Amino acid sequence: MGEASKKKEIFTYEAPWEIYGMSWSVRPDKRFRIAVGSFIEEYSNKVQIIQLNENKGQFQETAIFDHPYPTTKIMWIPDKVGTQKDLLATTGDYLRLWEVQSGSSSSSSSVAMKKLLNNNKNSEFCAPLTSFDWNDTDPSIIGTSSIDTTCTIWNIETGQAKTQLIAHDKEVYDIAFACGTEVFASVGADGSVRLFDLRSLEHSTIIYESSTPPDAPPLLRLAWNKQDTNYLATFMMDNTSVVILDIRVPSLPVAELQGHEQSVNAIAWAPHSHCHICSAGDDAHALIWDLQALPRAIEDPILAYKALGEINQLQWSASQPDWVAIGFGQQMQILRV
């Protein structure tokens, strides 16, 4: 790392448009590479791949490509070794897979769409996808969530849906795999967190409800603690607290983290620690919490950072766990934690 970058705790990138989708590359040979997606309220949107030049201490664009509608989520393939094709997945109207190929210089690459996955071939209409998760254990599996109340589990090598199920009573807003390939959870507009097992899909388990239906506030996002898969985190729409759930004790939160003054927009567990989670929201704060004291109440975060605007995106780097990325307005910042 360049001398200037060694001591630096924050790097900022200014995009030409408002940022929504965001993902850290996982490959060990692509440190500080991040994909960001535009949020432009029209059909034509962009995804940009940027790379931190560690000598200059600034981000540089290495590729940009067109994307129909804003991306609801972007993820790089969870390839911690760097032996697989350099793939990126996005959701919006459909699930798409993109391959990144390095150009002649290290600072440029090209991106080509490899697959568009569509399970509704009989209709000219599609139900927008709200989110997806790429399975860590078997990267041929991606699960998507949709406003049509379904979740779909895809085999991306064949391009076929392995299964599609009605997951909620209303729109599904997020989906996340536990460790392994069988168990996943989802949240949605009906205010419930539901647990599924691909080996027995005839029933699911409701592990939490935000209130009594039909008046339950929607749950927007879901994050699974990959170091201790007994724990999940979620939050309600227009709500200032983060709900921590222990799947062994359904229905009652094990903790509610109340440090934000305005709505929470994003959560991310530490990829390398079983007891740390970051939350961010409209109050422009990113907060890191230490949950070691559970089940005792967690009063305050251990770290707080104030950005220059409402934070709507947050990603904790799996390959460089000292770094968290946040998105607010047209800016993305990476923060050393």
Side-chain angles (χ1 to χ4, degrees), residues 30 62-63 100-111:
K30 297 289 185 188
T62 62
V100 181
Q101 292 183 316
S102 296
S104 49
S105 73
S106 60
S107 62
S108 73
S109 42
S110 61
V111 181

Side-chain angles (χ1 to χ4, degrees), residues 308-328:
L308 294 172
E310 299 176 354
I311 302 172
N312 55 38
Q313 188 57 267
L314 159 71
Q315 297 289 332
W316 201 322
S317 172
S319 56
Q320 294 159 263
D322 293 348
W323 293 90
V324 168
I326 57 173
F328 51 94

Side-chain angles (χ1 to χ4, degrees), residues 218-254:
L219 295 170
L220 293 188
R221 290 282 173 255
L222 170 70
W224 211 307
N225 183 338
K226 291 291 170 82
Q227 299 295 323
D228 183 347
T229 51
N230 289 314
Y231 292 100
L232 288 166
T234 185
F235 57 89
M236 291 172 230
M237 183 185 277
D238 300 327
N239 196 286
T240 57
S241 57
V242 176
V243 176
I244 307 293
L245 304 171
D246 181 339
I247 61 173
R248 297 164 297 189
V249 191
S251 76
L252 281 176
V254 66

Side-chain angles (χ1 to χ4, degrees), residues 170-248:
K170 298 179 181 174
E171 297 94 329
V172 191
Y173 288 146
D174 204 4
I175 179 172
F177 287 106
C179 290
T181 57
E182 311 296 348
V183 177
F184 66 94
S186 61
V187 293
D190 61 8
S192 66
V193 180
R194 303 198 184 196
L195 201 60
F196 298 88
D197 188 322
L198 289 171
R199 293 162 294 199
S200 56
L201 281 175
E202 51 280 1
H203 58 86
S204 64
T205 310
I206 295 179
I207 56 171
Y208 174 73
E209 288 183 300
S210 59
S211 181
T212 314
D215 303 319
L219 295 170
L220 293 188
R221 290 282 173 255
L222 170 70
W224 211 307
N225 183 338
K226 291 291 170 82
Q227 299 295 323
D228 183 347
T229 51
N230 289 314
Y231 292 100
L232 288 166
T234 185
F235 57 89
M236 291 172 230
M237 183 185 277
D238 300 327
N239 196 286
T240 57
S241 57
V242 176
V243 176
I244 307 293
L245 304 171
D246 181 339
I247 61 173
R248 297 164 297 189

Side-chain angles (χ1 to χ4, degrees), residues 86-322:
D86 197 9
L87 297 179
L88 190 65
T90 61
T91 44
D93 50 352
Y94 297 105
L95 171 64
R96 290 176 174 84
L97 287 175
W98 311 81
E99 185 175 352
V100 181
Q101 292 183 316
S102 296
S104 49
S105 73
S106 60
S107 62
S108 73
S109 42
S110 61
V111 181
M113 190 174 81
K114 301 303 284 181
K115 281 198 174 93
L116 184 152
L117 293 91
N118 174 16
N119 199 35
N120 190 6
K121 302 283 197 298
N122 305 329
S123 168
E124 58 186 295
F125 301 106
C126 65
L129 301 176
T130 50
S131 187
F132 72 98
D133 195 21
W134 205 323
N135 191 282
D136 274 345
T137 310
D138 180 354
S140 73
I141 300 172
I142 285 180
T144 58
S145 56
S146 170
I147 64 165
D148 69 3
T149 76
T150 67
C151 290
T152 306
I153 307 297
W154 296 91
N155 178 330
I156 62 168
E157 286 170 2
T158 63
Q160 301 298 309
K162 290 165 66 115
T163 187
Q164 184 171 38
L165 58 135
I166 293 173
H168 287 259
D169 301 333
K170 298 179 181 174
E171 297 94 329
V172 191
Y173 288 146
D174 204 4
I175 179 172
F177 287 106
C179 290
T181 57
E182 311 296 348
V183 177
F184 66 94
S186 61
V187 293
D190 61 8
S192 66
V193 180
R194 303 198 184 196
L195 201 60
F196 298 88
D197 188 322
L198 289 171
R199 293 162 294 199
S200 56
L201 281 175
E202 51 280 1
H203 58 86
S204 64
T205 310
I206 295 179
I207 56 171
Y208 174 73
E209 288 183 300
S210 59
S211 181
T212 314
D215 303 319
L219 295 170
L220 293 188
R221 290 282 173 255
L222 170 70
W224 211 307
N225 183 338
K226 291 291 170 82
Q227 299 295 323
D228 183 347
T229 51
N230 289 314
Y231 292 100
L232 288 166
T234 185
F235 57 89
M236 291 172 230
M237 183 185 277
D238 300 327
N239 196 286
T240 57
S241 57
V242 176
V243 176
I244 307 293
L245 304 171
D246 181 339
I247 61 173
R248 297 164 297 189
V249 191
S251 76
L252 281 176
V254 66
E256 288 196 42
L257 309 179
Q258 296 176 325
H260 287 281
E261 289 165 15
Q262 294 178 49
S263 302
V264 175
N265 292 326
I267 45 175
W269 290 94
H272 61 311
S273 157
H274 66 92
C275 62
H276 291 93
I277 188 169
C278 187
S279 60
D282 279 353
D283 59 2
H285 277 96
L287 307 177
I288 292 182
W289 305 81
D290 182 348
L291 307 184
Q292 265 182 119
L294 287 178
R296 293 204 305 277
I298 309 295
E299 300 291 344
D300 296 302
I302 55 167
L303 276 173
Y305 174 76
K306 190 165 188 347
L308 294 172
E310 299 176 354
I311 302 172
N312 55 38
Q313 188 57 267
L314 159 71
Q315 297 289 332
W316 201 322
S317 172
S319 56
Q320 294 159 263
D322 293 348

